[in-house]
Amino acid sequence: MNYYIEILKASGLKATVQRLTILEVMSDSGHITIDGLYQQINQTHPTLSLATIYKNIVMMIEKKVVVEIPIVGSKSYYELKKQDHIHIICKECGDVRDKEIDPSWHTSSLADDTFSLSYMQINLYGTCLECQ
């Protein structure tokens, strides 16, 4: 819990019960939709509204505490901000997994002199072993 308090403070956000709860559930889940987040939080904090969760997620995205993972043909997933990585997404079950970026990749080669790369998000779509 102290870890999340420090992350929020470093981002200029107050460590409210709502934000701490969102971060804890998000961390435990890895990748989660807003609906999934709401369902889990509602079990222990039934007074926390969906609107409050949305508002806090948007604020934490702006402050780079949380990252939105847009999924083609589905609702976005969200995760705690961490080092750049690839998302492997199963088109059948919707499972989202992280994969480290190969260190031999040179991210600077992905951009040119007219573009300054801030961060990258790569989503790869396929079928997981369980769904094959």
Side-chain angles (χ1 to χ4, degrees):
M1 191 66 75
N2 287 338
Y3 174 69
Y4 304 127
I5 292 171
E6 293 303 317
I7 290 173
L8 290 168
K9 285 184 179 181
S11 300
L13 294 171
K14 290 183 181 178
T16 64
V17 172
Q18 295 90 339
R19 291 180 188 142
L20 293 170
T21 302
I22 290 168
L23 293 178
E24 188 173 333
V25 171
M26 193 174 288
S27 177
D28 290 345
S29 301
H31 306 95
I32 192 165
T33 63
I34 294 279
D35 294 337
L37 194 58
Y38 177 69
Q39 288 172 358
Q40 286 191 35
I41 290 173
N42 195 15
Q43 294 174 12
T44 55
H45 297 81
T47 59
L48 192 59
S49 72
L50 184 58
T52 299
I53 293 172
Y54 268 110
K55 180 182 79 172
N56 279 284
I57 291 289
V58 168
M59 194 175 303
M60 289 190 284
I61 289 171
E62 290 172 1
K63 296 291 187 173
K64 298 182 181 9
V65 174
V66 169
V67 175
E68 179 178 8
I69 308 166
I71 307 291
V72 174
S74 184
K75 293 183 177 185
S76 292
Y77 279 71
Y78 299 86
E79 69 178 348
L80 296 177
K81 173 77 172 131
K82 46 192 157 182
Q83 190 171 13
D84 286 340
H85 56 278
I86 296 170
H87 295 113
I88 298 174
I89 302 161
C90 179
K91 296 184 309 181
E92 300 298 321
C93 68
D95 184 44
V96 179
R97 296 182 189 168
D98 290 343
K99 182 167 176 61
E100 287 186 35
I101 295 174
D102 189 318
S104 68
W105 291 8
H106 297 285
T107 55
S108 59
S109 67
L110 299 175
D112 58 26
D113 294 338
T114 64
F115 185 79
S116 175
L117 185 64
S118 300
Y119 71 95
M120 60 184 203
Q121 186 177 91
I122 300 171
N123 293 343
L124 303 176
Y125 296 87
T127 307
C128 69
L129 285 176
E130 291 82 16
C131 292
Q132 290 180 12

